[in-house]
Amino acid sequence: MTDVLEAPAPAQEASARPRPWWRKPGAWAAVLVFGLFLVNLAGIVGVPLADSFGTRWFTSWLPEGWTTKWYGEAWREFSLGQVFWTTALVSLLVVAVSVAVGVPAAYALARRDFPGKKLVLLLFLLPILVPPLTYGIPLATVLYKFQLAGTLTGVVLANLVPSVPFVVLTMTPFIEQIDPRIEAAARMCGARTASVLLRVLAPLLVPGILAASVLVLVRTVGMFELTFLTAGPDSQTLVVALYYAVFSAGIRTQQSIDAMAVMYTASMLVLLVIALRFVNPTQLVTRVREEQAHG
């Protein structure tokens, strides 16, 4: 005889079905929190954006008219051409020096075991975890003592303090993922250390170097504290120039300041999009170690 399976009762079928999301209190709480976040974000971004295109805006919900002249006035009034050039130059110099110093240091930490290695890693973590203002003031004092503060060199040196450790901690997991036997095989074939680094490791490290470079670029453009403490009139980056436009003495048109803020926000948005294009965030929080399963 064959066993006949009884069809489940309708009540059992109803209880087995998952409840729709709109019947879950947790889902409504998440929607509420996310909605409040979007409203707050729209207000923070939307108000300066609307004001930067508005002619007059006092008692109405929207400006009385629309214009683009404030962007031209902001460009001329705040010398934004020079400011953008200084920002790009400082950022590129910081990226170049950080990569040149940080990649060899990351290689040494990934491949070598030595006494005090954990202490060295802790020292690299401190400039990233500690607020920049805590070490920015003593750093600025030293730079002023050597007459480097107020110059482009001083701004670059100040931004290197957190950038080099950032490159080291970003590149170390990338180097750890490369099998050391690849380097050993290259050396057995007669390759010198320079050839191993340039022809074997460098192509494998290109994704990590790109990731570290883009993230340091974003961090440097947005770094306010260290740049503010060490920049002079001719070495201000965009974020510092925006601060001075808002809080320094004198009367300035609010729409021009908002136009400057919109340009800064747009530039940071472009950099963040590029960063997310080349960087996988999980690679920055996961240290992948090769388990010696084959040896």
Side-chain angles (χ1 to χ4, degrees):
M1 294 179 62
T2 59
D3 296 334
V4 179
L5 296 177
E6 296 182 357
Q12 294 178 347
E13 289 183 356
S15 62
R17 296 174 184 172
R19 289 190 303 170
W21 68 270
W22 58 83
R23 295 185 179 179
K24 298 178 180 179
W28 279 107
V31 169
L32 179 61
V33 172
F34 188 66
L36 291 175
F37 169 76
L38 290 180
V39 170
N40 186 42
L41 181 63
I44 293 174
V45 177
V47 172
L49 180 62
D51 193 39
S52 67
F53 287 102
T55 54
R56 291 168 57 89
W57 193 6
F58 293 106
T59 58
S60 58
W61 284 97
L62 292 174
E64 298 177 7
W66 304 96
T67 182
T68 58
K69 70 175 183 178
W70 304 118
Y71 286 87
E73 291 192 6
W75 190 272
R76 293 187 299 269
E77 181 180 0
F78 303 117
S79 302
L80 292 185
Q82 176 65 30
V83 171
F84 271 101
W85 167 249
T86 302
T87 303
L89 185 59
V90 168
S91 302
L92 293 177
L93 288 175
V94 170
V95 168
V97 177
S98 298
V99 170
V101 176
V103 173
Y107 180 83
L109 289 174
R111 289 288 189 259
R112 300 288 185 267
D113 288 326
F114 52 87
K117 181 178 179 179
K118 293 184 178 180
L119 179 61
V120 173
L121 288 173
L122 178 61
L123 293 177
F124 277 123
L125 278 173
L126 285 178
I128 299 176
L129 299 179
V130 175
L133 198 61
T134 57
Y135 60 86
I137 295 176
L139 177 61
T141 303
V142 173
L143 292 177
Y144 274 106
K145 182 178 180 180
F146 289 96
Q147 299 181 351
L148 291 173
T151 65
L152 192 70
T153 303
V155 175
V156 172
L157 290 175
N159 280 275
L160 285 176
V161 174
S163 297
V164 172
F166 194 81
V167 172
V168 172
L169 297 177
T170 303
M171 287 300 302
T172 301
F174 283 91
I175 297 175
E176 289 176 343
Q177 296 178 57
I178 300 175
D179 196 335
R181 290 174 292 185
I182 297 177
E183 303 171 46
R187 288 191 173 90
M188 289 181 62
C189 293
R192 297 182 178 179
T193 302
S195 298
V196 172
L197 293 176
L198 295 177
R199 298 184 179 183
V200 178
L201 286 180
L204 298 175
L205 294 179
V206 167
I209 293 175
L210 282 176
S213 300
V214 173
L215 291 174
V216 169
L217 181 66
V218 174
R219 184 183 180 90
T220 305
V221 173
M223 175 60 70
F224 171 75
E225 295 91 341
L226 298 179
T227 307
F228 174 76
L229 292 171
T230 56
D234 298 327
S235 56
Q236 295 177 6
T237 59
L238 186 56
V239 63
V240 176
L242 179 60
Y243 174 83
Y244 279 117
V246 176
F247 293 105
S248 61
I251 300 175
R252 296 172 178 83
T253 308
Q254 182 63 38
Q255 289 92 331
S256 298
I257 296 176
D258 287 335
M260 186 179 179
V262 169
M263 285 188 276
Y264 171 71
T265 304
S267 62
M268 289 301 298
L269 181 61
V270 170
L271 290 178
L272 288 175
V273 170
I274 295 174
L276 292 177
R277 172 63 180 82
F278 288 100
V279 180
N280 181 6
T282 59
Q283 292 176 333
L284 305 179
V285 296
T286 305
R287 298 177 60 88
V288 180
R289 292 184 178 275
E290 289 287 341
E291 300 291 343
Q292 296 183 355
H294 302 286

